[in-house]
Amino acid sequence: MKQEVTLNLSNVDRVTSISKALSSKIRVEILRLLDNQALNISSIAEKLDIPVSTAALQIKVLEEAGLVVSEPLPGIRGSQKVSGIKVKTVHIDIKSMDDDATASRNIKISMPIGNYSDCNIEAPCGISSDKSAISPDDDKDAFYLPDRTSAQIIWFYKGYLEYRFPKRHVDEHGKIRSVEFTFEACSEAPGYDNNWPSDITIWINGVEIGGFRSEGDYGGRRGKLNPSWWPDILTQYGKRYTVMIDDEGSYVDNKPTSKENLKSLKIHEGDFISFKIGVKADSEYVGGLNLFGNRFGDFDQNIEMTLGF
């Protein structure tokens, strides 16, 4: 989904980078070309009647400004770089130069993975802190122990975990325009298996908004944050995923997954926002789930919710 970028003059590097990118007629023409379609470098060069090297250089400037995103895709003669526009609008507030003015447009809350409010899981399962296992493997009762709040890695075969994020002080910031969740996760295989797909589902305020397929339970190297006692033969790390909801719909890693939006999900109602993640029994691939805290895996973060205003 295309982003809406709002800046003020305190964002010096980003403002100058975007201004530079938009100061060229060729780069503006490239943005017009990419408005409704993704194109490779050769196609851009052909449509604008410019050398391929020039097109590649201009795309690089637009990428550095965060206006364009490019991905390598397979082609007839090997992979090719395909570019698409990344932003919907860019707003620069020249009058407001206070860092707090920009910061106040977002509220971020970090939720430790052990602080779930509800769960319903099936073994194989387990829960560990960064110090030691909280209980023996496959002990479902451990998911209700007080010590669960210290969890840094949680795994299970089927079921879900629900987290309730507070909406304190929201009224002071205005109307919510977007809700974003980020987290590190992967499938759950015996030991680990880099080719072990699992269909993972997301619910917001009790409503299913889609999900994603984890391709594996990743191992073969140490997770960057894993404690030394954690065995090499077990799950080591995951991938970071982003779930976002706005007025138009729901998205996972910028890909539309549902028409459910802020209004239909009743984001503006109640005292909390419910984020539920799990594996349904009727999924095509029932391959379990691993969730990582800020002291396990590759990413120094818990489950984070960001409210945009």
Side-chain angles (χ1 to χ4, degrees):
M1 189 205 66
K2 296 178 183 178
Q3 301 174 352
E4 295 185 358
V5 179
T6 301
L7 305 170
N8 62 39
L9 297 187
S10 298
N11 307 105
V12 177
D13 291 340
R14 191 78 194 278
V15 169
T16 54
S17 178
I18 289 178
S19 299
K20 174 185 175 182
L22 297 176
S23 66
S24 162
K25 181 179 179 181
I26 291 179
R27 289 194 286 271
V28 172
E29 289 294 330
I30 290 175
L31 288 176
R32 291 179 61 187
L33 278 178
L34 300 180
D35 186 30
N36 293 310
Q37 61 182 332
L39 295 171
N40 60 33
I41 299 295
S42 298
S43 296
I44 293 171
E46 180 181 351
K47 290 178 181 294
L48 294 181
D49 194 24
I50 58 176
V52 171
S53 59
T54 300
L57 179 62
Q58 305 308 320
I59 284 291
K60 182 179 180 181
V61 175
L62 291 168
E63 288 174 342
E64 290 174 349
L67 300 177
V68 162
V69 62
S70 301
E71 295 182 359
L73 294 178
I76 298 176
R77 300 180 179 177
S79 63
Q80 58 179 342
K81 190 176 183 180
V82 177
S83 302
I85 199 163
K86 187 177 180 180
V87 301
K88 181 179 180 181
T89 62
V90 177
H91 176 79
I92 301 176
D93 188 347
I94 294 178
K95 186 176 180 181
S96 174
M97 294 190 293
D98 187 355
D99 279 328
D100 292 337
T102 298
S104 68
R105 295 191 180 101
N106 294 284
I107 293 178
K108 180 176 289 188
I109 297 175
S110 177
M111 181 72 71
I113 64 170
N115 284 25
Y116 47 85
S117 58
D118 187 23
C119 68
N120 184 355
I121 56 95
E122 291 188 25
C125 60
I127 182 168
S128 291
S129 72
D130 59 326
K131 305 298 182 184
S132 64
I134 292 176
S135 76
D137 287 353
D138 302 337
D139 179 7
K140 292 168 60 174
D141 293 342
F143 280 71
Y144 301 97
L145 293 173
D147 290 350
R148 67 180 174 80
T149 57
S150 64
Q152 287 294 325
I153 184 169
I154 296 175
W155 65 96
F156 56 89
Y157 171 50
K158 287 188 296 188
Y160 66 82
L161 297 172
E162 180 190 7
Y163 299 85
R164 294 185 175 183
F165 286 79
K167 296 197 299 183
R168 298 181 63 190
H169 311 305
V170 165
D171 292 341
E172 301 172 10
H173 295 265
K175 184 179 179 181
I176 297 174
R177 297 185 62 184
S178 64
V179 181
E180 181 179 282
F181 297 92
T182 60
F183 53 91
E184 182 178 358
C186 69
S187 311
E188 165 53 21
Y192 73 84
D193 189 333
N194 292 327
N195 184 22
W196 187 275
S198 185
D199 292 326
I200 296 169
T201 301
I202 304 294
W203 297 261
I204 302 297
N205 284 348
V207 178
E208 182 177 334
I209 59 97
F212 59 94
R213 178 169 294 172
S214 171
E215 297 300 334
D217 178 0
Y218 301 113
R221 67 162 173 83
R222 299 287 299 177
K224 296 176 182 178
L225 303 172
N226 292 357
S228 59
W229 63 268
W230 185 252
D232 291 342
I233 61 172
L234 298 181
T235 303
Q236 295 297 319
Y237 60 94
K239 292 185 178 181
R240 183 157 54 187
Y241 296 92
T242 300
V243 175
M244 202 274 281
I245 304 100
D246 62 13
D247 287 325
E248 298 178 6
S250 302
Y251 313 83
V252 176
D253 290 344
N254 289 328
K255 297 179 181 178
T257 58
S258 172
K259 293 294 185 181
E260 299 289 352
N261 55 32
L262 295 175
K263 183 177 180 180
S264 67
L265 295 172
K266 301 180 180 179
I267 296 298
H268 303 288
E269 302 177 20
D271 299 321
F272 62 86
I273 297 174
S274 167
F275 172 83
K276 187 163 73 172
I277 183 170
V279 179
K280 299 191 299 183
D282 61 353
S283 297
E284 181 178 356
Y285 289 98
V286 180
L289 172 66
N290 271 278
L291 271 179
F292 300 82
N294 65 336
R295 297 178 184 174
F296 245 91
D298 277 356
F299 300 97
D300 181 13
Q301 71 163 83
N302 298 303
I303 302 174
E304 293 185 348
M305 179 184 77
T306 301
L307 300 178
F309 297 88

